[in-house]
């Protein structure tokens, strides 16, 4: 199986985190998002251990909530002692409503409004990752008004191509995020931050992209950022205390993807960073990263019920399910590959299908050209694996479809984390 939290009983029933997907479908209805809580916690601990081993107690990973943000997730993150990367008032509010400590939140985003900034300051969010000079000025104004010095990281664009898909590349000079080193603007950004009375500059943030498998991206990033830190020390006499290397480690969606051995990769990056710092005569900063996908992706599975199967002779077969691009837009947006498994049987005789959704749009495809039992039919359960990241968080109400429920699975049982959106919910904001 793709991941060791997926298995099958002898009778063919598919199990996720030891629970029958078909039984959960019966209990909660479909489409349904499942989360393996132990896997989320294991992934957090994997990162925390790696950070502790290589950088000591002060260095902590921030979970990038954009991958999957709801109260139960933030409660788990608080229990695991993770920090949080939040990108909106909505994410911050959700985290605080779950009891997550504001001090451990890093507020990201390239388009923060004055109202966003005021909200985060009033809630005493620990750090801002400041994206651009206008935001820096606005933050300074609001901080001075409140008589405080806000702790910040400056978002620096390192000029590194992560060789991932275009929509998630954020490292090269031409992207909309951060301020580039190679144009000289990043140095000016630092100069301004150091001069502002409402700003306490802690260091730098950078992020090269998402779904990164390229072997030495983070090593190159360490080189570039150490070079920048040394240059800023030499020019302004300023030594950064913190360095955040962003998120981006890739995960396995299909058997063809390489296994992502994050602890080993991270150890290599840590060794390179330490060597770079030593060479530059810089002290070890508080190091952080912001993993999203690699914390929650393999902790997720989506369960659907087949509504109809269409065999178009000499053309193709469609299996149409009761969800679609509304609960998982990633194939439509990026052509993302997924592994699809039948929920109750694995027959000898298989056929090729396109797994399509129920939306009124031909492009509403969850996955093309997958193998399912040839006799797949209405009422069958079909599961899409590795949907924990960027599915629930990117879901929409297109066609006035309610978003699925989210169910947490543990050794002891299953519980609702987010209830299913009803037709009444969909009308709740209409006047
Ligand atoms: N930090 C920053 C500043 C980011 O922009 C992101 C992702 C992360 C951390 C987390 O990256 P991760 O570890 O999850 O790769 N919707 C796309 C992914 C967009 C990623 C946006 N930023 C997808 O479904 O593939």
């Amino acid at each position: 199986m793709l991941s060791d939290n997926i298995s099958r009983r002898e009778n063919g029933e598919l199990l996720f985190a030891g629970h029958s997907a078909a039984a959960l479908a019966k209990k909660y209805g479909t489409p349904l998002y499942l989360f393996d809580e132990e896997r989320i916690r294991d992934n957090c601990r994997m990162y925390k251990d790696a950070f502790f081993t290589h950088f000591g107690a002060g260095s902590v990973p921030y979970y990038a909530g954009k991958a999957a943000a709801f109260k139960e997730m933030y409660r788990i993150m608080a229990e695991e002692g993770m920090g949080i990367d939040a990108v909106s008032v909505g994410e911050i509010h959700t985290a605080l409503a779950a009891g997550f400590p504001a001090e451990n939140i890093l507020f990201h985003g390239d388009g923060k409004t004055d109202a966003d900034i005021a909200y985060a300051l009033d809630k005493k969010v620990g750090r801002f990752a400041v994206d651009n000079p206008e935001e820096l000025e606005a933050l300074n104004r609001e901080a001075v008004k409140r008589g405080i010095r806000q702790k910040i990281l400056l978002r620096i664009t390192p000029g590194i191509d992560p060789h991932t898909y275009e929509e998630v590349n954020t490292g090269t000079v031409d992207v909309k995020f951060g301020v580039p080193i190679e144009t000289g603007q990043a140095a000016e950004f630092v100069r301004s931050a150091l001069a502002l009375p409402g700003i306490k500059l802690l260091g730098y943030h950078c992020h090269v992209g998402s779904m990164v498998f390229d072997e030495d991206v983070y090593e190159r990033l360490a080189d570039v950022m150490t070079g920048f830190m040394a240059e800023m020390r030499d020019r302004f006499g300023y030594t950064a205390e913190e360095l955040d290397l962003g998120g981006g480690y890739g995960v396995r969606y299909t058997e063809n993807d390489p296994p992502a051995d994050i602890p080993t990769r991270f150890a290599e990056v840590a060794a390179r960073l330490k060597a770079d710092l030593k060479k530059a005569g810089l002290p070890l900063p508080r190091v952080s990263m912001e993993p999203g996908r690699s914390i929650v992706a393999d902790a997720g599975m989506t369960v659907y019920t087949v509504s109809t199967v269409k065999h178009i002779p000499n053309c193709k077969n469609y299996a149409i399910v009761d969800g679609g691009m509304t609960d998982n837009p990633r194939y439509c947006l990026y052509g993302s590959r997924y592994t699809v498994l039948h929920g109750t049987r694995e027959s000898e005789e298989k056929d090729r299908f396109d797994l399509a959704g129920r939306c009124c749009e031909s492009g509403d495809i969850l996955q093309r050209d997958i193998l399912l039992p040839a006799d797949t039919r209405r009422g069958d359960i079909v599961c899409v694996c590795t949907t924990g990241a960027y599915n629930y968080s990117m879901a929409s109400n297109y066609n006035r479809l309610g978003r699925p429920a989210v169910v947490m699975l543990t050794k002891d049982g299953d519980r609702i984390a987010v209830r299913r959106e009803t037709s009444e919910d969909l009308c709740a904001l209409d006047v």
Side-chain angles (χ1 to χ4, degrees):
M1 284 287 185
L2 181 69
S3 171
D4 60 9
N5 55 2
I6 306 171
S7 59
R8 255 188 218 285
R9 284 209 174 104
E10 282 206 354
N11 68 2
E13 217 174 333
L14 190 73
L15 304 181
F16 185 53
H19 297 256
S20 156
L24 290 162
K26 205 162 180 188
K27 180 168 176 185
Y28 294 105
T30 56
L32 184 66
Y33 294 120
L34 301 177
F35 275 93
D36 172 356
E37 183 174 336
E38 281 310 309
R39 179 52 55 93
I40 298 170
R41 291 183 186 276
D42 286 348
N43 287 338
C44 291
R45 288 170 198 171
M46 177 259 294
Y47 270 104
K48 282 205 74 180
D49 288 351
F51 272 81
F52 185 78
T53 304
H54 300 290
F55 297 114
S59 294
V60 164
Y62 295 95
Y63 164 62
K66 69 207 85 179
F70 45 86
K71 281 161 73 176
E72 195 62 11
M73 188 66 83
Y74 288 123
R75 280 186 205 113
I76 293 171
M77 293 303 149
E79 284 173 18
E80 293 301 324
M82 298 282 285
I84 277 183
D85 148 2
V87 292
S88 66
V89 164
E91 283 188 4
I92 297 172
H93 175 85
T94 308
L96 296 178
F100 193 87
E103 170 59 25
N104 298 341
I105 297 178
L106 171 63
F107 187 18
H108 261 290
D110 59 330
K112 300 182 191 84
T113 64
D114 287 354
D116 296 342
I117 291 170
Y119 173 87
L121 288 176
D122 291 341
K123 296 295 177 187
K124 303 202 167 22
V125 158
R127 289 168 176 73
F128 278 60
V130 177
D131 178 89
N132 56 72
E134 285 93 336
E135 180 191 333
L136 185 63
E137 292 289 339
L139 177 59
N140 179 58
R141 261 193 316 273
E142 292 295 326
V144 167
K145 241 193 260 172
R146 290 165 176 77
I148 58 168
R149 279 186 84 197
Q150 177 59 40
K151 292 186 278 186
I152 70 153
L153 305 176
L154 292 177
R155 181 158 181 171
I156 305 297
T157 315
I160 287 176
D161 185 350
H163 301 127
T164 178
Y165 43 103
E166 187 64 25
E167 292 85 349
V168 296
N169 162 28
T170 47
T172 52
V173 71
D174 56 346
V175 298
K176 69 166 184 154
F177 294 103
V179 176
I181 296 176
E182 66 192 81
T183 58
Q185 289 164 294
E188 285 313 308
F189 201 23
V190 175
R191 187 205 299 275
S192 315
L194 290 171
L196 294 171
I199 298 293
K200 165 101 182 94
L201 179 61
L202 293 180
Y204 310 119
H205 168 275
C206 51
H207 172 75
V208 287
S210 204
M211 265 312 265
V212 175
F213 276 110
D214 198 318
E215 283 293 302
D216 69 342
V217 166
Y218 293 99
E219 277 91 334
R220 285 187 282 141
L221 187 60
D223 297 349
V224 170
M225 293 310 294
T226 318
F228 184 69
M229 284 163 72
E231 191 193 332
M232 294 306 99
R233 174 201 54 198
D234 297 345
R235 279 181 67 178
F236 306 127
Y238 169 70
T239 302
E241 299 159 48
E242 297 195 8
L243 176 64
D244 183 333
L245 297 174
Y249 278 122
V251 302
R252 279 187 97 202
Y253 285 104
T254 70
E255 306 274 352
N256 296 332
D257 293 327
D261 181 359
I262 293 173
T264 305
R265 300 284 302 107
F266 188 74
E268 290 160 7
V269 177
R272 176 77 150 258
L273 179 62
K274 285 179 185 168
D276 285 346
L277 290 163
K278 197 166 168 203
K279 210 152 80 193
L282 285 162
L284 185 66
R286 175 188 193 262
V287 179
S288 49
M289 278 188 95
E290 299 152 351
R293 193 188 310 270
S294 50
I295 299 277
V296 289
D298 67 349
M301 176 181 274
T302 309
V303 185
Y304 300 97
T305 304
V306 175
S307 309
T308 185
V309 170
K310 294 186 178 174
H311 298 284
I312 309 176
N314 306 320
C315 182
K316 66 165 66 178
N317 306 315
Y318 280 107
I320 299 178
V321 295
D322 55 355
M325 64 192 288
T326 39
D327 58 77
N328 182 0
R330 296 193 70 258
Y331 183 81
C332 303
L333 285 172
Y334 321 116
S336 306
R337 300 302 306 188
Y338 280 101
T339 301
V340 182
L341 300 172
H342 195 282
T344 52
R345 62 183 180 279
E346 191 170 43
S347 7
E348 293 286 294
E349 207 186 321
K350 292 213 164 109
D351 210 343
R352 299 210 161 267
F353 291 84
D354 278 10
L355 189 70
R358 64 176 301 169
C359 294
C360 296
E361 180 149 336
S362 331
D364 176 20
I365 299 291
L366 283 162
Q367 201 64 200
R368 287 201 194 273
D369 205 25
I370 50 156
L371 281 173
L372 283 174
D375 62 349
T376 297
R377 57 188 175 270
R378 181 175 172 87
D380 282 2
I381 297 296
V382 165
C383 301
V384 179
C385 304
T386 331
T387 55
Y390 303 110
N391 276 229
Y392 171 76
S393 60
M394 292 175 77
S396 78
N397 293 126
Y398 183 45
N399 287 178
R400 213 68 166 168
L401 291 169
R403 280 167 294 187
V406 177
V407 166
M408 284 284 167
L409 306 175
T410 62
K411 281 196 189 73
D412 308 323
D414 49 82
R415 66 180 194 284
I416 284 273
V418 182
R419 71 163 170 78
R420 186 175 299 284
E421 212 169 14
T422 64
S423 300
E424 287 72 47
D425 291 329
L426 292 170
C427 286
L429 306 178
D430 298 8
V431 292

